[in-house]
Amino acid sequence: MMDSGFDRRDFLKVMGWSGAAVALSGCGNTSIEDGKETVAPYVEAADYVIPGIGVYYNSSCAQCDAGCSINGRVREGRVLKLEGNPASAINNGRMCGLGQAGVQHHYNPDRVREPLLRNGDKGETITWDKAYELIAEKLSSVDGEEIAFVSGGVSGHLKVLLGNYLSSFGCKNHFVYEALAPGVVRAANKKSYGVEMPRYNIDKAKVVLSFGADFLGSWISPVHFSQQYAQFRKGTNGQRGTLIQVESKMTLTGANADRWVHLRPGTEGILALGIINALGTAKGDIAAAVAGYDRAFVSKETGVPPGQIDKIAALLKLRSPSLVLAGSAAEGYAHGSQNAEAINLLNYVLGNIGKTIEAAAAIPFPQMAPAKGNTAALKTLNDGLAAGKYKVLFNYAANPVFTAPGAMKFKGNMAKADFKVVFAHYFDETALQADLVLPLDSALEDWGTHVPEYMVEGAQINIQQPLMEKIHANTRGMGDILLALLKQRQADEYKNYEDYYAYLRAAMLQNKAALGGVDADDDTFWNETLMNGIVKLEGEATALSGKPNVAGLKLPTLMENDEEYPLHLIPSVNISLRDGRHSNQPWLQESPDPLTTIVWDSWVEIHPKKAAELHISEGDIVEITSKTGSIKTQAYLFPGIHPEAISIPIGQGHEALGRYAKGYGANPFEIMDAIFDEETGELAMHETRVKISKTGQKVIVVKDESAAGAKQIREKIAGRVSTDEVDLSKEV
Amino acid sequence: MSKRHLLALFSNFDEAELVVQELRTTKIDGFNVNDDMVVKSAIEHPEVEEFLGEKPVYVQWFTLFGATMGGLLGFFLISGAQANFYAQLKGGKPIVPLPPNFVLTYEMFILGGVFITVLGFLICAGLPARRSPLYSANVSEDQIGILVKSDEIATDKLKEIFSKHQALEIQEEAGK
Amino acid sequence: MSVSNLLENWSQFRHAHPVDDKPHDPYKWAMSIDLDTCSGCNACSVACYAENNLPVVGKEKYAHGQVMHWMRIEHYWDENLGEEGGSEFPDQGAQFLPMMCQQCEAAPCETVCPVGATNHTADGLNSQIYNRCIGSRYCSANCPYKVRYFNWYDYPSTDDVWPAEMTQQLNPDVTVRGKGVMEKCTFCIQRLHAAKVTAKNEGRIVREGEVQVACQQACPTNAISFGNLLDPEARVHKQWKAQQVELDKDKQLKDEKEGGTELRGYRILESMRPYPSVMYLERVRESAI
Amino acid sequence: MKDIREDIAWAKINQDVLKSLENPRKLYWWILFGAIAMLGIAVGCEVYQYNVGMGVANMDNPHMWGLYIATFIFWIGMSHSGTLLSAILHLMHADWRKPIYRFAEAMTTFSLLTAGLFVAVHIGRVWQIYYALPYPNDRGLWPNFQSPLLWDAMAIFTYLSSSILFLYVGMIPDLAICRDRIHAGWRKKLYTLLALGWEGTDRQWRNFRVTYLTIACFLIPLAVSVHSIVASDFGMSQAPGWHVTSFPPYFVAGALYSGCAAIITLFIILRYVFRFEEYMTLPILKKIVRLTFAIAMVWTYLNAVEFASVWYSHDEASKDVLIQKASGTYAPFWWAMIFCGSVVPLVLAFKRFQTNIPVLFAVSLLLNLGMWLERWMIVAPTFSHGIYPWAWDHDQWPSFVQWGMVFGSFGWFTLLFMVFCKVFPSVSMYEVKEMVYHRSLHLKKGKADEQGAH
């Protein structure tokens, strides 16, 4: 009686539990839908299955490349929820929404279940052996140069196997393609700091000046940066860190900034140099290089008021160390490299290098180090396809048909290859173009090792292990597939490895010593490795180079206004949908975009002032036209964007990818021009110019935000104070 | 000694009144005015009180009882029920919050009152009743009926009185 | 039974709560959310979907306002943004606010439920009993925060909400609600209960850090802290203490101080006297820039 | 303009009234069929809603309540006039009530029955509705007696059962008449059964008088309490626009108002259909009309009081709701309500309209429309513009399901009422006789005095 509230819940629990049990029926989840599976009574269950008790397994999150370690809750042989693995330095037991949705990637009803061979315009189911034979046969007829292999970022043993496979027929065309990779920043960092991916210590900085780096949302390693950010906000002895975000379209990070500075798209570099100039601490050639960038000029170019520039400079002077970040907004232009370098230069001038920017350790096994995805690869691939260089095309963990700029006509070019093999989880746009579709295990069913690109402390290898049995009998892990394919070519080399698991185990045990298991016997070492989910290593120290050279630094002044296409198109990266490969995970579709709270759709953000000029109001269906093409979507008036720019989120507008993604919204890639960064050849995603026009249709925007338009009325709901009104030192 | 019934019908009330007075005044043995006479009418005549003399009505006592019981039952049933929730506060209010209980007590008070009153009515008015041996549908229309019960010997005397006052009709119980 | 019971325990039946009631013992679950570190990333909300079997209603029903997110991330602009005299751009960013059931100590929803389906539990939760609920929806009508969500449809049997494969993800510790019942944030009561049972078996009370709610566990910035307000070790206890926010006040003493204290703890709609169990810490913005 | 004749033969009264019970004309069947069809629509909607879920009514978070609750209040309100006529006027010895109170009372009962249905239709799990009843059970589970909804349930149950008893007891003498006049068929059996062997003996009349009076005394405070409690469903909550002190009297006034309007409507219809010109005379109509006018003004006043008290309060939220009502999405309906409720009744102030049947008929319908709108305007705007701005919503337009139920409820009411007035005398015969009798007495006395003067 004392807590009958709970008693009732107990009852409910039982209900829920048995209800679930009925729906799930036993442990062997092979072929749920055709009801062939047998219900295994719990008394016969594997000894780790204790009815009603959750068991936790460590593994790695495969939703993005940040390399968070996860801790999966498994009950009655089913994975229920993914928590963060507290042992990981990257996410310390934390998880982002995207990572949480990993289970919906795994349980997704639209997964590919059988190997399919194109027959006319529909696929016919074939056996794996048949599929392997087919590949072998096709490969035998072409030589290595005529084979292209497209993949997303790969690392660890999978990368090794893939490398071995490609070299087994002398193919050098491995295109590592990630639609949203910080390619330009890597290059710029290499030039400025001597390393591609240094370690950023946001938590150590007193001021963070970010040029469009959405490190809380989608940039490099968001979950890790978020934790640093929390520390940075708490500050040391009450000295709270200050975040200044400079960008043309407000990102999640921008929304959390103390000062959000909007500037004309593409002028980030100029502002950076202007700030150096305003600081006045630079000497020698740097001083010379920035001499021209005085307040008046910079202000004219960027549209940032002179006073603002001074304030920023003053604050940077006042509080040290600080940290300056160059993000995707800065790099997305034809002169992206210059932008990035100019911004990095600011770090040098402020003397942050070595304090808030440190060299990260490198993984001692270079062959396992991540093959970094970029967009330059896409260009080469596309040109090759267009020229008909490639007869056979493999595609894995990338969806170029969806993410390639419309101007590239990738879909058409892809058709020129006469045999296209796609390893897929779902029928995405690329899989639909394939001749042979091979179904993959989900990340929660597969083995693997991953090496994150952004190392937090020392180096680490993440272990990926299955959290439950396969849902679909006929899917395979990528590793197993590669192994099988390798066996076709070098049977005797791989004959000892019955499957990828065996290979992985052997490979790990081989380097037991180097992996910190010197005096452990194989089984103990292996089990501990699996238990931890992470192998932490010293890593090889790398050094930051000294002084960057500013000779090459040349920033275009005021970009001439395009009369026909007056607006800049900013394809924004949604925190949960990213490049669109996750759009079929309903939780992500239904979790509102933080800034607009719009769900299940695309929208175009326009500044209210601009909208008034164009007589556009919320919910108007507008047509956005570029040189390349045009798309239609709903308008949303958004104050956090430069009036000369409009922004459309990436990730929607799928023509495939299953019931939760197909037919929602529009895909901004379709109208993207093929403009590339002059230095790195990376795709300049922010360069596309567009015009916008009303179609006359109007819809009610589906969003969580209310008619009050995200304003607090009457009552105090979300309180705010300025730093001089609070004393954080007393806080817990 | 067996009794016989007589029913006389009168067109208007004044006649009936005279009849009743005469029956009262004239001494007829085998006939007792107070017990053996019933006046039937289509409407409720306040005057009936006057010439039949005060007769007590007990319905109010039922009402009093019903209302009180209803009220008490209401209050204690509700408070008692609420007392079961002592582990589950609601909205920070006391477990036995008086204001709501008073509202409900009030309703129960009325409910009990009405129900028992009706019960009382049925009892006091002797309803549902078995139909009396002599009845004329005219009574429910516009005529006044006087039903008397008497020994055989009184019958003629009564008839005579009735007819003297222009009784429209005199019904007599079929003899045995 | 009842009359004698009434007479014996009359005095304790007449306590008002939380004002003059005996304090909770040994548990009073409470939360505090630091709006300065909250980045509005939605991780908590998704974690809630995963933990509590929340249905994904889809675009059409979302458009009708029938979404079921127990925890919603609200974002606010400056009052004067885009208005006369105000700035045209949000140059101080936005403000995010995770809003879920505030587990009020004197919950307006509890008094009005005709069947007593929502009650106050011994450890200070506002519990919702699904199989008692008849769906009069009076509780939501009376909820100042509008954080109660009604099952307008029978989601388990609705297409594409939980296809066969997805049902395997459902958390067996949490029931799947059918049509016509009200639901809301429970402070992950299934986790609390499990922790309490373990503690009870070991003859102690639940320790700080022993139990985490799903949103707190996921939060990348650790903005959410949750625990037993009565436990001096608990972070939440320390925070409430440090911020001088008291559970049973409808107006905090510190707010009456001249010139304000340098504290940022507050509770939403406190003046309506629901005595919420969630304390928010105001967002801070740099004055030097 | 003639009132009831004092020399009208009592036998004629019986005939005329009993005539209304005779075999109906074609028109009757048509209307009955129509009513059943309307009811059918509502049933269809309910079946659909029951199977698919409340969502099909197109309510949402936070628009938790819709037309169901509004219409529920409407029907409860309508029930009050019956009591007004039969109980209050009875105590005040207002003779003119006698020919018309019977159908007014029937109206009370039936509108209560209709209102009850809306509770069932409204709740999410109608199959569990019995949870709301205080039935003893070994788990010690009781409904929550703190909830105004439960007070509602209690009050309405009390009110319904009491009015049914009141109606029945008051009808017993007439049932006896029917028993005596109708000699065949099921009717005979029915009336014989229901008349309980009433013979109009002095003893029966004596107890009858007291009982009738007592129940009347109980009914008046009951009626007042019922609608005050309905008002507290809103007044007891915290929601802006509901949390208003003057709600109980406001609701009661509104109730009597809509009731009187409904009486005028039915008065006119019955008068025409059953040719009751003899009994439902124009002077009586005039009296009701004046009464209605008075109540209309009271309602208008209380309305003003509510607005004023909100306007001069410091409750910004409530102010906003008021402004929303007058200027927001609901503005047209809100102003329509003001017009129908406060402007239209002004017509009744003019003597020439007080007996003009077509005008009165139209007006009475408008008044009822206004009263229905009032209920809707109490329920809906508060939801779309409550305390918490984030939950403000694009206003939800009720779906056809909700409208269908509202529509159907009128069918249900009509059905019940039409059955009633074919089975039971809708004019109280014995009381009309009393009325006539007393008038004639007065005249006699009058004559007598004149002679005495000579």
Side-chain angles (χ1 to χ4, degrees), chain C:
Chain C
M1 97 295 177
S2 41
V3 177
S4 55
N5 176 9
L6 270 178
L7 301 177
E8 283 159 22
N9 311 316
W10 185 252
S11 62
Q12 81 168 44
F13 286 148
R14 295 292 303 150
H15 277 292
H17 184 80
V19 188
D20 62 356
D21 191 20
K22 304 180 293 306
H24 290 283
D25 182 40
Y27 299 108
K28 164 58 199 157
W29 303 113
M31 192 178 266
S32 86
I33 299 180
D34 186 343
L35 300 182
D36 194 33
T37 48
C38 171
S39 70
C41 70
N42 258 335
C44 48
S45 182
V46 177
C48 186
Y49 271 79
E51 173 72 16
N52 293 306
N53 303 343
L54 302 189
V56 171
V57 300
K59 187 176 181 183
E60 189 210 349
K61 294 190 174 69
Y62 205 117
H64 282 132
Q66 291 159 343
V67 60
M68 300 299 286
H69 51 29
W70 283 0
M71 189 175 208
R72 58 173 187 246
I73 308 299
E74 301 170 356
H75 79 95
Y76 293 100
W77 302 115
D78 301 3
E79 275 69 17
N80 59 0
L81 173 66
E83 294 177 5
E84 282 307 312
S87 132
E88 280 180 342
F89 297 90
D91 24 26
Q92 294 209 322
Q95 301 190 69
F96 293 102
L97 179 93
M99 173 51 70
M100 82 308 286
C101 174
Q102 303 286 298
Q103 310 287 347
C104 307
E105 276 297 295
C109 54
E110 288 167 359
T111 34
V112 296
C113 175
V115 292
T118 175
N119 296 292
H120 217 65
T121 64
D123 49 1
L125 294 178
N126 170 240
S127 73
Q128 178 74 20
I129 304 163
Y130 304 128
N131 53 1
R132 176 72 174 170
C133 176
I134 60 169
S136 76
R137 308 195 287 289
Y138 200 170
C139 51
S140 173
N142 209 24
C143 172
Y145 309 92
K146 292 285 178 263
V147 285
R148 296 181 142 263
Y149 299 92
F150 186 70
N151 284 273
W152 296 105
Y153 295 89
D154 187 39
Y155 290 109
S157 67
T158 310
D159 295 350
D160 296 343
V161 172
W162 286 300
E165 297 87 342
M166 290 231 182
T167 55
Q168 302 185 68
Q169 182 274 328
L170 293 174
N171 182 356
D173 294 344
V174 180
T175 180
V176 174
R177 282 77 60 186
K179 72 180 167 199
V181 300
M182 189 63 74
E183 62 184 62
K184 64 167 191 77
C185 165
T186 63
F187 269 2
C188 288
I189 195 164
Q190 66 280 7
R191 293 184 176 202
L192 301 184
H193 194 57
K196 278 167 68 177
V197 168
T198 346
K200 203 170 173 187
N201 295 345
E202 297 168 17
R204 54 177 178 82
I205 69 164
V206 177
R207 295 195 202 87
E208 166 69 355
E210 197 175 343
V211 59
Q212 284 184 308
V213 288
C215 48
Q216 169 198 23
Q217 188 174 23
C219 180
T221 58
N222 198 13
I224 303 175
S225 51
F226 170 88
N228 180 0
L229 197 56
L230 305 178
D231 174 3
E233 293 313 302
R235 181 166 177 238
V236 69
H237 171 89
K238 291 177 184 150
Q239 279 174 313
W240 281 58
K241 212 167 155 55
Q243 297 295 338
Q244 297 173 24
V245 174
E246 291 177 52
L247 187 67
D248 57 358
K249 295 260 186 302
D250 55 15
K251 193 174 190 314
Q252 300 299 335
L253 292 170
K254 64 171 182 174
D255 299 338
E256 286 147 14
K257 287 221 189 79
E258 287 304 316
T261 52
E262 296 186 314
L263 300 171
R264 52 196 189 105
Y266 72 102
R267 294 187 295 176
I268 296 174
L269 300 182
E270 203 172 42
S271 58
M272 301 191 77
R273 299 201 187 85
Y275 306 98
S277 306
V278 180
M279 176 184 75
Y280 290 90
L281 297 171
E282 283 168 332
R283 180 185 198 244
V284 185
R285 279 300 165 259
E286 179 60 51
S287 48
I289 183 80

Side-chain angles (χ1 to χ4, degrees), chain B residues 57-168:
Chain B
V57 176
Y58 298 109
V59 177
Q60 313 88 316
W61 296 108
F62 285 89
T63 311
L64 180 64
F65 172 80
T68 333
M69 279 304 130
L72 289 175
L73 177 71
F75 185 83
F76 284 107
L77 180 109
I78 289 157
S79 312
Q82 282 161 332
N84 286 336
F85 286 119
Y86 67 90
Q88 298 164 329
L89 298 163
K90 287 188 186 64
K93 305 279 187 297
I95 295 158
V96 180
L98 297 178
N101 295 13
F102 289 152
V103 174
L104 293 166
T105 306
Y106 177 84
E107 297 300 328
M108 289 293 281
F109 169 83
I110 291 175
L111 190 64
V114 171
F115 276 44
I116 303 302
T117 305
V118 173
L119 183 69
F121 163 64
L122 295 180
I123 294 170
C124 298
L127 294 174
R130 298 182 54 252
R131 306 296 303 281
S132 55
L134 291 174
Y135 179 74
S136 159
N138 298 341
V139 166
S140 68
E141 187 170 286
D142 52 3
Q143 300 178 350
I144 311 292
I146 299 183
L147 176 69
V148 292
K149 172 153 116 289
S150 69
D151 301 347
E152 309 229 2
I153 43 163
T155 323
D156 303 337
K157 187 88 179 77
L158 290 166
K159 279 190 188 157
E160 174 196 326
I161 296 175
F162 290 152
S163 38
K164 186 167 94 207
H165 292 280
Q166 300 108 32
L168 301 174

Side-chain angles (χ1 to χ4, degrees), chain A residues 152-194:
Chain A
V154 286
S155 65
H157 293 93
L158 191 66
K159 180 187 164 205
V160 179
L161 275 185
L162 180 53
N164 298 355
Y165 179 56
L166 294 179
S167 52
S168 72
F169 43 78
C171 162
K172 296 186 183 50
N173 312 319
H174 179 197
F175 302 98
V176 186
Y177 167 55
E178 284 289 343
L180 305 176
V184 174
V185 167
R186 284 193 199 113
N189 289 351
K190 187 81 184 162
K191 280 176 95 175
S192 321
Y193 313 138

